[in-house]
């Protein structure tokens, strides 16, 4: 099809009889040159893809990425600081919706509180349990950072750029979290920026522990915009319940995930078709479209105090 | 003059990539952002022709591939935008008797969005990238095309006007008799 468009004969068929040729874009020499450019560009693209596709051997595109991050990191940082007017605009549009949603939420909260008042013992026990669990998680040394770039849904990947890099002690496979829960892990770093893979990405899998029963499982991203997650338990007989909370169970050496960070809450459970066990849908605590300030766990967590137990040994 | 044009084009592309990754994502519709880089590539192709479209698409796409937070195989956006830019340049040449009308520009943008998004997803599938989700393809393409047309209304006349200002005098005479 491209060939047809390029030949001068088809061109003249498009033109009416009285019209004079206005530019010499149709001469065979120009057509040849144009196609040469196209072929060269496509070849360059394929070369790049082939070179970068085998990641294991260390991609030659890596220095390019470093350079690009060096140039665009500060630019993105500046642009993010200058986005105040954009934010204001969005907020104004969102205000009505927000007020309505808040009203709904307050009504619901009111009902919940009334109900909770009647079942306060149960709730208090549960809160205590949660508190205990949170205390198990040691305190981490964190480096605060701001999100300066977000990938669009067109690229299918859920990644963000933060403005802290190797210069701030950020390395790959570090946990990233914010005040409400787990955000993701660092997959790529440069001098001044780092790329974070969000837990909602299809490439992401996190070990998650059910708060209620301490059962272990895996949380994987669905690639949806809202960041919805799937949760599969290791033990096929255990069943998660709606409303159960999930926290990370941590990886060996605390990389990429440190233990005890809240991930999300179970919203629905469906039985797996054709196999044992069930899959739960998890709503993450962190809204992936609204993350701004995050913390990167840079320091080794303070070791939880372990008192030695001495037995008589009878 | 040529150096000035190339410099301007590079500047446009850099601004587009920066704004697309850090500002426009905050006003994304259902997660889909406005493809500002694609719009600038199409504007350059419409004002300078297929060769410019292909090369500008390659450079702009390469920047999208390597600028953080990109985490996919480099070269995928470069290929998609280069071909979209080349096709946009061909459309311009077919109607070179008169400047491309607003409807023509809008259709070119929709076509460019479809071509680039399809190529990006297809290369992802070929490379076994698990994040590519063809079930979401149609919805995201629809939103992206609409959003891009809205962005193009502002950006394309601006870029084409500036590029027209730095055209050499003899060419301007030939285009506008």
């Amino acid at each position: 099809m491209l060939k047809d468009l390029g030949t001068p004969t088809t061109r003249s068929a498009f033109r009416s009889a009285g019209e004079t040729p206005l530019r010499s874009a149709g001469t065979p020499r120009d057509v040849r040159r144009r196609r040469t450019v196209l072929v060269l560009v496509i070849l360059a693209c394929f070369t790049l893809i082939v070179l970068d596709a085998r990641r294991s051997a260390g991609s030659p595109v890596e220095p390019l990425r470093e350079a690009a991050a060096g140039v665009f990191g500060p630019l993105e940082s500046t642009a993010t600081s200058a986005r105040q007017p954009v934010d204001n605009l969005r907020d104004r549009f969102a205000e009505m919706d927000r007020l309505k949603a808040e009203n709904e939420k307050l009504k619901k909260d009111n009902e919940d509180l009334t109900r909770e008042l009647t079942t306060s013992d149960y709730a208090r026990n549960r809160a205590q349990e949660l508190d205990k669990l949170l205390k198990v998680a040691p305190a981490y040394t964190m480096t605060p950072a701001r999100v300066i770039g977000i990938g669009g849904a067109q690229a299918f990947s859920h990644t963000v750029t933060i403005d802290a890099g190797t210069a701030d002690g950020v390395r790959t496979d570090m946990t990233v979290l914010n005040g409400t829960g787990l955000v993701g892990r660092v997959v790529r770093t440069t001098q001044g920026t780092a790329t974070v893979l969000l837990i909602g990405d299809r490439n992401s899998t996190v070990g998650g522990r059910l708060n209620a029963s301490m059962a272990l499982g895996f949380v994987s991203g669905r690639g949806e915009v809202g960041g919805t997650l799937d949760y599969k338990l290791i033990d096929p007989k255990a069943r998660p319940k709606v409303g159960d909370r999930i926290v990370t169970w941590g990886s060996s050496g605390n990389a990429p995930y440190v233990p005890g960070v809240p991930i999300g809450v179970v919203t629905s459970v469906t039985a797996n078709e054709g196999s044992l066990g069930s899959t739960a849908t998890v709503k993450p605590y962190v809204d992936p479209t609204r993350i701004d300030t995050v913390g990167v766990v840079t320091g080794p967590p303070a070791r939880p105090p372990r008192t030695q137990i001495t037995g008589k040994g009878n | 003059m040529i150096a000035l044009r190339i410099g301007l084009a590079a500047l446009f592309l850099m601004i587009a990539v920066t704004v697309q990754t850090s500002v426009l994502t905050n006003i994304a519709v259902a997660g889909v952002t406005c493809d500002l880089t694609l719009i600038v590539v199409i504007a350059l192709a419409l004002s300078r022709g297929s060769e410019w479209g292909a090369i500008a698409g390659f450079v702009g796409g390469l920047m999208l591939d390597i600028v953080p937070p990109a985490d996919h195989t480099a070269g995928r956006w470069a290929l998609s935008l280069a071909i979209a830019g080349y096709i946009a340049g061909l459309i311009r040449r077919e109607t070179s008797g008169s400047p491309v009308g607003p409807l023509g520009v809008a259709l070119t943008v929709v076509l460019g969005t479809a071509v680039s998004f399809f190529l990006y997803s297809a290369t992802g599938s070929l490379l076994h990238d698990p994040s590519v989700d063809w079930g979401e393809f149609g919805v995201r393409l629809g939103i992206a095309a609409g959003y891009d047309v809205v962005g193009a209304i502002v950006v394309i006349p601006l870029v084409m006007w500036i590029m027209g200002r730095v055209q050499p005098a003899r060419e301007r005479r030939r285009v506008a008799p």
Side-chain angles (χ1 to χ4, degrees):
Chain A
M1 198 191 79
L2 287 179
K3 195 180 164 200
D4 279 347
L5 285 171
T7 49
T9 44
T10 42
R11 236 183 92 62
S12 55
F14 276 88
R15 193 179 293 139
S16 58
E19 205 179 332
T20 47
L22 290 171
R23 47 177 43 247
S24 54
T27 66
R29 217 182 103 251
D30 280 353
V31 172
R32 253 202 316 278
R33 201 182 60 182
R34 199 163 51 227
R35 283 195 200 143
T36 313
V37 167
L38 179 68
V39 168
L40 283 181
V41 164
I42 290 179
L43 281 181
C45 291
F46 280 131
T47 314
L48 262 177
I49 292 176
V50 169
L51 284 179
D52 197 35
R54 9 155 255 155
R55 295 233 164 137
S56 54
S59 159
V61 187
E62 221 45 55
L64 263 180
R65 286 188 208 274
E66 292 267 337
V71 174
F72 280 90
L75 281 179
E76 285 181 3
S77 214
T78 319
T80 307
S81 328
R83 68 158 202 238
Q84 197 65 36
V86 179
D87 268 359
N88 286 348
L89 194 71
R90 185 185 64 183
D91 286 352
R92 196 171 304 165
F93 280 121
E95 183 104 332
M96 274 310 280
D97 285 346
R98 198 179 57 78
L99 285 178
K100 265 184 205 159
E102 197 173 277
N103 194 14
E104 294 269 319
K105 194 178 151 293
L106 285 176
K107 270 186 196 160
K108 198 174 149 293
D109 277 0
N110 199 11
E111 279 170 25
D112 283 355
L113 284 174
T114 321
R115 196 172 57 235
E116 242 169 61
L117 210 59
T118 56
T119 57
S120 71
D121 281 344
Y122 172 70
R124 199 176 301 138
N125 280 346
R126 203 158 141 186
Q128 250 168 16
E129 220 170 296
L130 199 66
D131 254 7
K132 260 189 275 174
L133 196 72
L134 284 177
K135 266 179 208 148
V136 171
Y140 308 106
T141 322
M142 282 206 270
T143 303
R146 278 180 72 206
V147 172
I148 56 170
I150 305 177
Q154 286 105 317
F156 289 114
S157 59
H158 290 63
T159 48
V160 297
T161 319
I162 55 173
D163 64 351
T166 46
D168 310 289
V170 175
R171 304 273 179 279
T172 49
D173 280 348
M174 279 180 167
T175 314
V176 182
L177 40 91
N178 71 4
T180 45
L182 183 67
V183 172
R185 67 183 159 96
V186 178
V187 288
R188 204 185 279 283
T189 53
T190 63
Q191 173 83 28
T193 64
T195 306
V196 177
L197 183 75
L198 304 182
I199 50 173
D201 191 282
R202 280 200 179 189
N203 284 309
S204 160
T205 302
V206 190
R209 187 194 285 280
L210 271 186
N211 251 6
S213 59
M214 303 294 262
L216 300 180
F218 292 102
V219 179
S220 47
R222 272 194 192 168
E224 283 170 8
V225 177
T228 320
L229 309 162
D230 277 335
Y231 181 62
K232 282 199 179 76
L233 282 167
I234 294 175
D235 178 8
K237 278 177 294 187
R239 278 187 78 88
K241 285 191 297 292
V242 172
D244 275 352
R245 291 171 172 79
I246 298 175
V247 298
T248 56
W249 48 279
S251 326
S252 67
N254 290 312
Y257 295 108
V258 292
V261 183
I263 300 176
V265 58
V266 176
T267 52
S268 71
V269 183
T270 48
N272 287 352
E273 275 178 40
S275 67
L276 281 174
S278 51
T279 304
T281 306
V282 175
K283 187 179 175 298
Y285 288 125
V286 179
D287 181 355
T289 59
R290 299 256 161 168
I291 39 178
D292 191 30
T293 306
V294 297
V296 184
V297 180
T298 46
R303 281 178 71 81
R306 285 170 212 252
T307 40
Q308 286 187 336
I309 305 166
T310 44
K312 288 261 168 67
N314 43 356
Chain B
M1 223 32 170
I2 284 184
L4 179 62
R5 274 198 305 247
I6 292 178
L8 264 179
L11 182 70
F12 283 140
L13 286 173
M14 278 183 78
I15 294 174
V17 170
T18 311
V19 171
Q20 185 178 332
T21 49
S22 54
V23 178
L24 286 181
T25 39
N26 290 295
I27 45 171
V29 178
V32 177
T33 50
C34 187
D35 275 314
L36 201 58
T37 318
L38 173 75
I39 296 172
V40 168
V41 166
I42 287 178
L44 290 173
L46 286 177
S47 60
R48 302 295 313 163
S50 303
E51 289 153 67
W52 272 70
I55 294 172
F58 175 72
V59 175
L62 184 61
M63 284 200 265
L64 279 186
D65 280 327
I66 58 175
V67 166
D71 189 41
H72 53 261
T73 310
R76 284 169 64 191
W77 274 127
L79 181 68
S80 319
L81 292 194
I83 290 178
Y86 185 81
I87 292 175
L90 286 180
I91 288 171
R92 173 251 194 184
R93 201 169 53 79
E94 283 308 320
T95 58
S96 62
S98 57
V100 185
L103 189 65
V105 171
L107 287 179
T108 311
V109 170
V110 170
L111 183 68
T113 310
V115 167
S116 62
F117 192 28
F118 173 75
L119 281 174
Y120 178 82
S121 308
T123 46
S125 284
L126 286 177
L127 292 168
H128 303 291
D129 183 348
S131 58
V132 173
D133 182 2
W134 286 101
E136 291 276 314
F137 179 80
V139 182
R140 288 193 188 166
L141 175 59
I143 300 173
Y147 207 163
D148 287 353
V149 169
V150 173
I153 291 171
V154 184
V155 176
I156 286 191
L158 184 74
V159 174
M160 286 184 77
W161 181 73
I162 295 176
M163 290 310 279
R165 295 287 300 216
V166 295
Q167 247 173 15
R170 59 185 168 79
E171 220 175 290
R172 211 182 301 169
R173 208 169 45 242
R174 218 165 47 199
V175 176

